[in-house]
Amino acid sequence: MSCLLLTAPYTWAVPADAGYDFYSIFYVLAFALNLVLLVWEGHRRGYAMRPWLVLLACTTLAFILGTKLLALSGPEWRGLLSTGRWPGSEARTVLGGALAGTLTLLALRRPFGFSWHVFDAFTLPMCAALMVQCIGCVLTGCCFGEATAGGWGLTYPPDTLPYLVQAVRGTIPLHAAHSLPVHPTQLYSLLLCAGVALVLVLTRHKPWPGGSRRLLHLGLLLTGRLLIECWRDPAGEQVGAATHVHLGVALKQVQWVLLLLGPAVLGLWVWRLRQAPQPERQPTQNSVRNLLAVAALLLLTAWLGQQALTLPEVLVVKALLLGVLLLEGGALLLGAAGLLQPARAALPLGLATVVFMLTSQVPVDSAHTGREAYNTVDFSLSTGSFEREQNTGGGCNGSSQLLEYRHRYTTGTVGFAHTRLPGTDEKGRLHKAEATWGIRLHAGSDRQTPLYIPPGGPSESSQRNSIIAVNPYVQLDRKWLGVGVGLMAGSLGYHRILYGDEQSVLDGQASLRVGPRPQLFALADYNFLGYGVANPSTAWVWAPALGYALATGGRRGAG
């Protein structure tokens, strides 16, 4: 008996509970740890925090979407491409996240002024986050291994994935107390990440070229994943679980891909080591670029909605975006000279108020009504010039004679709108008007040049001013009449004559339509900056039926 007790394999029972969501808890903890370590790593490297947080927000959202996109099946991909609706699948794979995050970082590195060293900043935080996530996978039972007779196997209680798979296969009775022992492939992955992190720490002082550690990091993780797949059950694999035989060797689809990627990345690492190391370059600071990126992320998360992003995922993105807006608001509020300039903070503070509005996650049941609705995302570009008389300053009482200036402006506009069509709401009330609420972001520059300088007058050269404005608005439309009102806040440019040589910072916005839109109508827009920023002569725009095509160019189908 004692001999049997000594030789009998000892298994570990996992205290899993099918009714408790361990995965989501550790998923959020992993993301939180990853972001905290990345922020600290950026601070340690001396990165400017505003572009660094924007880059983190972009790569984080890309990572989240990549984990889901690569796990979609063929029919789910066809449904997504044909209907635009995100599938309800909850499958994820870290391989897709790593691919999407790397490609996003590759695309944004140069525009944000980072060097190749920025790739290395992501290595250790990612290893730490994956280790935390592996614990959640152990407790949940996903990514489980094949049955084993070894003494290190894990057993799972009823209603967990390993138990249900074994019950369906008939390897255990339907009412068994627990599953057969399985390889702890989640712990194998945890040890792999810890080992890769140890290698990175031991080589941290080597003067390698920028990006080398990222290549080593990915190459080791991909090669280790190739080996772990030998013990992973196909039912616990989200992508490429089918077995293919080539040259007499039977491997899963994902293993064949890893067999190519792992050595290829390690080969790139060896090639990269042969390059001459370059000093790390600090990112460039550009408030307009940062805020445009924030607006784009807000629009993207609003468009994706609750089908693509869970509440914890949205909160992670929100935290990063709010951090950027607070830093940008502080910088614009204080200004370069340290003087209070509240008007300059209008844009980031305005964006901060709509972060939760545009990215809110509303349960499907509570959001559904009897009225159909659709979302619109639109873009426009405007450029032009005008002449204007304005004071130059410096005379008696701080003023001087009026001089004529030429203004040349270029602006871009991005907008998001939510429209509810006429119909009956959930309370049975009839609404005859089409109601729209939305927000536009305008950003650009205005270059002003004096046309004439009198003899003995002040010598002035051209100067450039930023134009940044946020424009929340509402619109009501019926067949023959449409009325809209909104608010313009920010650095609006010299679009009002009464302001003299000062840019306006606050103004109203309005629109009026008379006539049926599908046939012929007249449209007047006041302060619609997408079509004539800083130009008093075009503050009012009249348009015939062509205006309808412009107004509906970004419309999506009713949903």
Side-chain angles (χ1 to χ4, degrees), residues 12 29 55 144 148 160 234 304 352 411 475 479 519:
W12 298 86
L29 290 177
L55 190 69
F144 65 96
T148 178
T160 56
L304 290 171
T411 61
Q475 178 87 20
K479 181 177 180 181
Q519 291 81 30

Side-chain angles (χ1 to χ4, degrees), residues 25-41 56 60 121-135 316:
I25 294 177
F26 283 89
Y27 183 70
V28 174
L29 290 177
F31 261 110
L33 177 62
N34 183 57
L35 292 177
V36 169
L37 293 178
L38 282 171
V39 171
W40 176 85
E41 182 67 18
L56 294 185
T60 297
F122 286 80
T123 53
L124 285 175
M126 183 177 180
C127 286
L130 290 177
M131 291 170 65
V132 172
Q133 185 58 65
C134 287
I135 299 176
V316 168

